[in-house]
Amino acid sequence: GAGVSQSPSNKVTEKGKDVELRCDPISGHTALYWYRQSLGQGLEFLIYFQGNSAPDKSGLPSDRFSAERTGGSVSTLTIQRTQQEDSAVYLCASSLSLAGGRGTDTQYFGPGTRLTVL
Amino acid sequence: GNSVTQMEGPVTLSEEAFLTINCTYTATGYPSLFWYVQYPGEGLQLLLKATKADDKGSNKGFEATYRKETTSFHLEKGSVQVSDSAVYFCALSGDNYGQNFVFGPGTRLSVLP
């Protein structure tokens, strides 16, 4: 498809289990972002990938969270030893980079993965 | 670092009322500015954007003008509809390579018939 896709759409897990969330960005988009949105809240930035550069991990809330982006395309967000406070919608977005190092263009969001930790 | 501030919600208006949602930003250089909208039960989608000073972004009757002198990008609509009920996010993209997007906290708008 033409848009950003994420899987699974819903994930219910037990406290203490590990989960993996997947994001397929729009083809050709060099920038990829992960965000978290808790119920009724705004967007919380988690991590940002730009081409082959080292990712910006400044938003990851703890060392239980990690992400990788293989081949500059698909990304996986992993949460180890999940806690109930990890319950949220996890959003992925991708964008093009602007010429001349002028940051990134419009972000296109996926539908999100709703994570529920029991 | 870069930041975005927008008015706290919720905002409740009657149909056909005039809407303003304030957004101000702090950034070095010349960021691009965006409004995103999230309708109930749906994902985030771009509403409009402006990439340089004095540009006006517009879409679906909404407008916002990039004001560098006041570092603002206020969202306006002359006559809101019930279908405009959603959460609106102001955002900026820094003009340095590697700058991540910064989103405001969102403003929830409810339009009553």
Side-chain angles (χ1 to χ4, degrees), chain A residues 16-61:
Chain A
K17 301 283 190 182
D18 297 351
V19 296
E20 284 190 352
L21 312 179
R22 176 187 168 105
C23 172
D24 279 271
I26 293 173
S27 178
H29 280 191
T30 56
L32 186 148
Y33 303 76
W34 282 99
Y35 297 91
R36 179 168 70 176
Q37 188 175 31
S38 301
L39 186 62
Q41 301 298 310
L43 290 173
E44 177 186 4
F45 166 74
L46 296 177
I47 188 169
Y48 162 57
F49 295 90
Q50 173 61 280
N52 295 320
S53 301
D56 176 355
K57 304 180 181 180
S58 59
L60 295 178

Side-chain angles (χ1 to χ4, degrees), chain A residues 83-118:
Chain A
Q83 304 294 314
Q84 288 183 332
E85 61 263 28
D86 299 335
S87 297
V89 176
Y90 289 81
L91 294 168
C92 175
S94 71
S95 69
L96 290 169
S97 296
L98 295 175
R102 284 190 57 249
T104 54
D105 201 355
T106 304
Q107 290 194 17
Y108 296 88
F109 282 83
T113 294
R114 182 175 297 279
L115 174 66
T116 302
V117 181
L118 302 177

Side-chain angles (χ1 to χ4, degrees), chain B residues 35-57:
Chain B
W35 278 100
Y36 282 81
V37 60
Q38 188 173 33
Y39 297 103
E42 298 186 16
L44 272 151
Q45 56 187 276
L46 177 69
L47 179 61
L48 54 85
K49 71 176 185 180
T51 58
K52 61 182 187 295
D54 300 325
D55 268 3
K56 178 185 286 187

Side-chain angles (χ1 to χ4, degrees), chain B residues 3-7 22-26 90 104-105:
Chain B
S3 66
V4 172
T5 303
Q6 61 182 106
M7 63 190 292
N22 289 338
C23 171
T24 57
Y25 67 90
T26 301
C90 186

